[in-house]
C-alpha cells in the first residue's frame, strides 16, 4: 500500500506539470492516464490486493486522482482550443461559407400550379386519375365509340399485356371517374400527364401535360363556361388579353369550341409564334354531351355542365421563353437551374 501511494504521488506531480501544445499531445496524455489501458485503470486493478481495512482509504485516493486527472485533461483541451494548433481551429473562419444548393421547381410544375390555383380560387377542387387507363374511361364513356374517327385524332399507346389498357391520351378520363362517383354537383380541376404516339420534335412530344376542368350542376350554361374561362385568362395573362371562341368539334361536348387568346408575343399584330394570325389557341371546351352524363349514370334532363381541357407545355414555353419542348423532359441541370427564382 505504501509503495502504491508513493507511486501515486509521483503520477500526481507528473499530471500537475503536464502540458499539451497539440491535439496529438493531448491525446497522448489521455491514453497514458485515462485510457482503457492507462495508468488509472491499472492502479484501480490493484484494489483486490489491498487489505480489507485499507480498501476505503485507497478508494478515496484513487477517486481524487481520477477527478484531478480529468480536470487537467479538460484544462489542457480548452487551452489547445484557443491556439491554432488544435484540431478545432484549423479552419479559416473568415472564408465565405459553402453554397447550399436550393432546388428549383420544374417549369411545367410552375405553370400547372398557376393554372390550378386560379381555378381553386373559383372553388374548383383538384382531382387526379390513373395514367394507365382502360378503353372505357379514355374513349367509350366519352362518347367515342369503337370505330369513331376521333380515335385516330389521338394516336394511342396500347399496353401489350392487355389490348383494353392504354396510356391515357387526355385527362378527360378523370371527368368520367369523378362523374361515376355520383357526388353532385361536381366542380373539379384535373392536372395530369398524357401520352400520344407522336413524332418527337421541338414542338411536340409523345408525352405532355394537360389540365382538365369540369363543372356539373343544375342550370349550368354556356355563359358560365365563357365567363369562367374569361376570368382564367385575365388572371393568367393580364387584363388586356383578348379572347375569341371558335366553334369546334369534340365527341364529348355539344356544342364545342376552341378558345384563342391574343398572341402574348406580338400583342396581336402577327409573328412567327402565332403564325401571323395574332391569335394563340389555348384550350378546347364545350357543354358536356348528354350521352357522357348518361354513361356515368347522371340524369341529363336534370343536370348540365361544361368541360374544358388545355395543355401545360405550350403556355410554359411561351411564359419562360423556351424554344424547344424537348428541354422540358431532358433533365439537364443547366436548364433546370435557371428556374430557381421563377414563379
Ligand atoms: N380532351 C381534349 C384533347 O385532349 C381536350 C378537351 C376538349 C377537353 C374539350 C375537354 C373539352 O374537357 O371539353 O384534345
Amino acid at each position: 500500500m505504501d509503495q502504491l501511494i508513493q507511486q501515486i504521488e509521483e503520477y500526481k506531480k507528473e499530471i500537475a506539470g503536464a502540458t499539451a501544445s497539440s491535439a496529438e499531445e493531448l491525446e497522448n496524455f489521455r491514453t497514458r492516464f485515462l485510457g482503457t489501458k492507462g495508468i488509472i485503470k491499472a492502479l484501480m486493478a490493484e484494489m483486490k490486493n489491498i487489505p480489507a481495512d485499507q480498501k476505503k482509504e485507497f478508494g478515496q485516493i484513487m477517486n481524487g486522482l481520477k477527478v484531478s486527472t480529468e480536470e487537467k485533461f479538460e484544462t489542457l483541451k480548452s487551452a489547445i482550443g484557443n491556439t491554432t494548433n488544435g484540431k478545432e481551429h484549423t479552419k479559416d473562419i473568415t472564408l465565405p461559407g459553402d453554397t447550399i444548393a436550393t432546388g428549383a421547381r420544374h417549369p411545367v410544375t410552375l405553370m400547372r400550379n398557376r393554372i390550378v390555383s386560379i381555378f381553386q380560387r373559383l372553388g374548383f377542387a383538384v382531382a387526379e386519375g390513373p395514367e394507365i387507363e382502360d378503353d372505357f374511361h379514355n374513349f367509350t364513356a366519352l362518347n367515342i365509340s369503337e370505330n369513331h374517327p376521333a380515335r385516330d385524332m389521338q394516336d394511342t399507346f396500347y399496353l401489350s399485356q392487355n389490348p383494353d389498357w392504354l396510356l391515357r391520351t387526355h385527362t378527360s378520363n378523370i371527368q368520367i371517374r369523378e362523374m361515376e362517383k355520383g357526388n353532385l354537383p361536381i366542380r373539379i380541376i384535373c392536372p395530369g400527364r398524357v401520352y400520344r404516339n407522336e413524332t418527337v420534335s421541338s414542338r411536340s412530344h409523345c408525352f405532355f401535360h394537360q389540365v382538365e376542368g369540369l363543372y356539373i350542376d343544375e342550370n349550368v350554361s354556356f355563359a358560365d363556361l365563357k365567363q369562367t374561362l374569361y376570368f382564367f385568362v385575365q388572371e393568367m395573362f393580364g387584363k388586356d388579353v383578348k379572347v375569341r371562341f371558335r366553334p369546334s368539334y369534340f365527341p364529348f361536348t355539344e356544342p364545342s369550341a376552341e378558345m384563342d387568346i391574343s398572341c402574348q408575343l406580338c400583342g396581336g399584330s402577327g409573328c412567327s409564334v402565332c403564325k401571323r394570325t395574332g391569335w394563340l389557341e389555348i384550350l378546347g371546351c364545350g357543354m358536356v354531351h348528354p350521352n357522357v352524363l348518361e354513361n356515368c349514370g347522371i340524369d341529363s334532363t336534370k343536370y348540365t355542365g361544361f368541360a374544358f381541357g388545355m395543355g401545360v407545355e405550350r403556355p410554359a414555353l411561351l411564359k419562360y421563353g423556351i424554344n424547344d419542348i424537348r428541354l422540358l423532359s431532358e433533365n439537364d441541370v443547366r436548364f433546370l437551374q435557371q428556374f430557381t427564382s421563377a414563379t
Side-chain angles (χ1 to χ4, degrees), residues 3 22 54 72 96 111 119 135 138 162 208 211 218 290 309:
Q3 230 179 334
S22 69
Q54 289 180 309
K72 179 71 184 190
M111 182 51 70
F119 287 100
D135 184 278
N138 193 81
N162 184 338
F208 52 98
V211 176
E218 292 177 41

Side-chain angles (χ1 to χ4, degrees), residues 154 170 172 175 196 210 212 250 252-253 284-286 307-309:
Q154 305 181 349
H170 50 190
S172 307
Q175 295 192 18
R196 288 185 200 178
Q210 287 188 333
E212 186 92 2
F250 300 103
F252 31 91
T253 44
C285 59
F308 57 87

Side-chain angles (χ1 to χ4, degrees), residues 39-59:
I39 286 164
I40 291 180
K41 266 271 158 66
L43 286 170
M44 289 287 198
E46 293 293 333
M47 182 66 99
K48 59 180 186 303
N49 302 326
I50 304 287
D53 60 338
Q54 289 180 309
K55 272 197 202 298
K56 190 176 169 201
E57 190 194 345
F58 183 73

